[in-house]
Structure formats: structure tokens, C-alpha cells
Amino acid sequence: MAYFQWADDMVIDNGPIDQDHRKLVEQVNALHTATTEGRGQEVVGALLEALIHDTVQHIQREEQQMAALGYPHLEQHQKGHALFVADLHGLRTKYQSGGITVAAQLSTLLRDWLSLHIRRYDKEMVGFIRQKNRQSRPAAPARRPKALLN
């Protein structure tokens, strides 16, 4: 069983955002597998670099989409993203300094952050998009009784 499983309640757009999230979930699971097999220190450096790169690209895509939609909580979302990236950079620094617990810390950070961020903050964006779509649809014409149509 995977350390962190993708679930239906994490679906955001059935497109690029979900693809990014799924890739991050796969990376979390790869790191956890390596850690449980005693290979965490071997793989954490390269995986950490890939995670930072992929996370930054994902964040840029997500924030561009939010800005284009006029998402009202973009600034708050950006702050959360910036804190997460700072945590990743902090773990990279710790790893480069010889920290031996970085793999386990990174697994936990990623699992917890992805779960909370997707299920709460990204879902808020989905709710905003749905509401915006409902408001932009033209109202259906009122039905008149047949007698009034003649």
C-alpha cells in the first residue's frame, strides 16, 4: 500500500493541476519507499531537487490560473506556497549540511502539505470557479403556460 494515496476528493481540474499533484504524490511515495528500504539518504538529494523544481513549476501554473480567474484569495494562497517552498529549501540546506533525518522529514512534510493544501485550499478555488461559472450562465427563460404562448 502506498504511503500517500491519490483519492477522488483531491481532484481539482481533471487536467494539468491534477497531473502535477499526482506527480508530487508519486514522488512522495518513491521517497517513502526508499526510506523504508534504508535507501533514503541515497535518493533524497536528487528527489529533493526534482521536487523543488516540479513544485515551483506547479505553483506558477496554479497561480497563473488563479490570477486569470480573478480568484479573490490568491494572495493568501501565494503565501502558503511561499512557505512550503521555503520549507523545501530549508530541508535541502539541512541535507547538504549532512542531516540524516531529511528523507523522513521530507516524506512527512510532503504528505501532510499535499493532503491539506489540495483538500482545503485548492478545493476552495474549485468552489470559486463553480460559483463563477453558475453566475456567468444566462438565466433560463421562464416557462409560460401554453395558453399564453398563442
Side-chain angles (χ1 to χ4, degrees):
M1 184 172 172
Y3 176 65
F4 184 58
Q5 290 195 318
W6 182 262
D8 291 342
D9 69 333
M10 296 170 69
V11 172
I12 301 299
D13 68 351
N14 286 310
I17 300 297
D18 286 339
Q19 288 171 4
D20 289 348
H21 288 163
R22 284 179 179 267
K23 184 175 183 180
L24 294 169
V25 167
E26 288 170 12
Q27 289 168 318
V28 171
N29 287 327
L31 177 61
H32 183 73
T33 298
T35 301
T36 58
E37 293 172 353
R39 299 179 301 107
Q41 279 301 108
E42 282 174 41
V43 301
V44 72
L47 193 53
L48 189 51
E49 292 305 319
L51 279 163
I52 290 171
H53 176 265
D54 293 345
T55 298
V56 168
Q57 283 191 332
H58 164 70
I59 286 170
Q60 288 172 347
R61 260 191 296 281
E62 193 174 271
E63 289 178 359
Q64 285 172 351
Q65 183 180 13
M66 290 175 170
L69 293 167
Y71 184 60
H73 305 292
L74 176 58
E75 188 175 321
Q76 177 186 357
H77 211 89
Q78 288 171 319
K79 287 178 183 175
H81 285 159
L83 289 171
F84 180 61
V85 171
D87 286 344
L88 291 175
H89 284 287
L91 285 173
R92 176 177 28 181
T93 300
K94 193 173 188 176
Y95 171 76
Q96 291 169 341
S97 299
I100 60 171
T101 61
V102 172
Q105 289 173 320
L106 181 59
S107 287
T108 302
L109 172 70
L110 290 168
R111 181 201 62 202
D112 294 350
W113 191 85
L114 280 170
S115 181
L116 175 66
H117 188 79
I118 294 169
R119 287 184 168 118
R120 180 179 294 165
Y121 300 108
D122 286 353
K123 283 292 185 174
E124 286 176 3
M125 180 183 65
V126 171
F128 169 78
I129 292 168
R130 286 183 181 147
Q131 180 181 357
K132 190 172 182 171
N133 287 341
R134 281 193 299 272
Q135 291 171 349
S136 67
R137 286 189 200 128
R143 292 183 152 197
R144 291 194 260 168
K146 284 186 178 184
L148 297 178
L149 293 175
N150 295 329

